[in-house]
């Protein structure tokens, strides 16, 4: 984790005078023409309106619970045992150890196959996805003014530190070669 957390990093990025933030608004492929360049972290298949079909994703459901004291002694513990229904527990107070709290909030993450109306979190990359994915990659190469980034935009499982590193690297290269 960054020293001051991801929120701090994102707040500093969004504080740039050339960045305009639009919340609760859908961005469509057709809107690309209105921008100098677009960095899309949306699911690759959705960018192309699922023309070749849907790729496989996992999604998450979160269940929060409150306890007295400390629950697990760590910010995050992954649970890999088949006998446990959740995949991970995050205990939020350990993300800010400089604070003191008598109670604790945990979030249990339940992973399941993503359906069309769910929010995708993780690309699965099954054998059955290979042909569809290659077709989307070919379409992506032809896109102008668009760079696909992140887990969903590149359809790769990425740990957060790799996703952040790649995003910063792509931004640096873009700014170096495309001064406004």
């Amino acid at each position: 984790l960054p020293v001051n957390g991801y929120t701090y990093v994102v707040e500093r990025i969004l504080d740039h005078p050339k960045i305009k933030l639009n919340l609760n608004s859908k961005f469509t492929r057709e809107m690309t023409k209105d921008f100098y360049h677009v960095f899309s972290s949306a699911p690759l298949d959705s960018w192309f309106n699922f023309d070749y079909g849907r790729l496989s994703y996992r999604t998450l459901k979160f269940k929060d619970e409150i306890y007295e004291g400390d629950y697990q002694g760590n910010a995050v513990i992954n649970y890999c045992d088949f006998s446990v229904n959740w995949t991970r527990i995050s205990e939020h107070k350990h993300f800010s150890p400089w604070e003191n709290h008598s109670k604790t909030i945990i979030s249990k993450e339940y992973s399941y196959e993503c359906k069309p109306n769910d929010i995708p979190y993780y690309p699965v990359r099954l054998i059955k996805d290979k042909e569809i994915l290659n077709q989307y990659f070919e379409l992506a190469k032809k896109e102008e003014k668009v760079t696909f980034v992140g887990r969903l935009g590149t359809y790769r499982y990425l740990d957060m530190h790799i996703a952040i590193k790649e995003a910063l690297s792509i931004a640096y290269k873009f700014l170096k070669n495309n001064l406004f």
Side-chain angles (χ1 to χ4, degrees):
L1 287 174
V3 173
N4 294 318
Y6 288 118
T7 300
Y8 178 82
V9 171
V10 172
E11 285 173 346
R12 298 291 78 72
I13 291 170
L14 295 178
D15 195 34
H16 192 280
K18 290 195 173 193
I19 293 177
K20 180 181 175 189
L21 183 61
N22 294 311
L23 300 175
N24 300 314
S25 55
K26 184 174 181 161
F27 187 88
T28 64
R29 185 175 171 209
E30 293 73 31
M31 295 166 69
T32 302
K33 67 181 177 348
D34 299 330
F35 296 90
Y36 180 76
H37 196 86
V38 171
F39 296 88
S40 177
S41 61
L44 188 61
D45 52 352
S46 73
W47 182 264
F48 297 106
N49 298 312
F50 309 102
D51 288 348
Y52 296 117
R54 291 182 179 272
L55 295 168
S56 301
Y57 298 93
R58 300 289 293 168
T59 190
L60 298 173
K61 178 177 72 173
F62 300 91
K63 181 177 183 249
D64 296 334
E65 299 174 6
I66 299 173
Y67 293 92
E68 292 292 331
D70 193 326
Y71 185 82
Q72 64 186 13
N74 289 290
V76 178
I77 295 180
N78 294 324
Y79 292 82
C80 305
D81 195 309
F82 284 115
S83 68
V84 178
N85 293 333
W86 52 86
T87 55
R88 179 180 320 179
I89 295 179
S90 297
E91 186 169 3
H92 302 280
K93 73 179 182 181
H94 293 291
F95 288 113
S96 53
W98 53 87
E99 296 178 2
N100 291 309
H101 302 277
S102 61
K103 293 186 176 192
T104 192
I105 299 172
I106 66 162
S107 296
K108 291 182 179 176
E109 294 181 22
Y110 297 84
S111 175
Y112 60 97
E113 183 180 336
C114 192
K115 304 286 188 255
N117 291 327
D118 292 330
I119 297 171
Y121 281 82
Y122 302 106
V124 178
R125 290 190 80 126
L126 299 172
I127 299 255
K128 72 179 183 77
D129 295 315
K130 188 175 181 178
E131 183 179 330
I132 295 171
L133 179 59
N134 286 334
Q135 291 174 307
Y136 286 129
F137 280 161
E138 288 304 312
L139 288 178
K141 287 180 195 175
K142 297 174 187 172
E143 287 291 290
E144 295 181 19
K145 301 183 354 173
V146 179
T147 301
F148 296 95
V149 296
R151 287 179 177 162
L152 304 179
T154 62
Y155 198 70
R156 296 178 299 148
Y157 179 86
L158 300 170
D159 287 329
M160 276 305 294
H161 68 289
I162 300 298
I164 297 292
K165 182 179 178 181
E166 280 189 10
L168 292 173
S169 175
I170 288 168
Y172 175 78
K173 287 177 189 172
F174 180 81
L175 291 171
K176 183 179 173 186
N177 296 319
N178 294 287
L179 297 177
F180 294 89

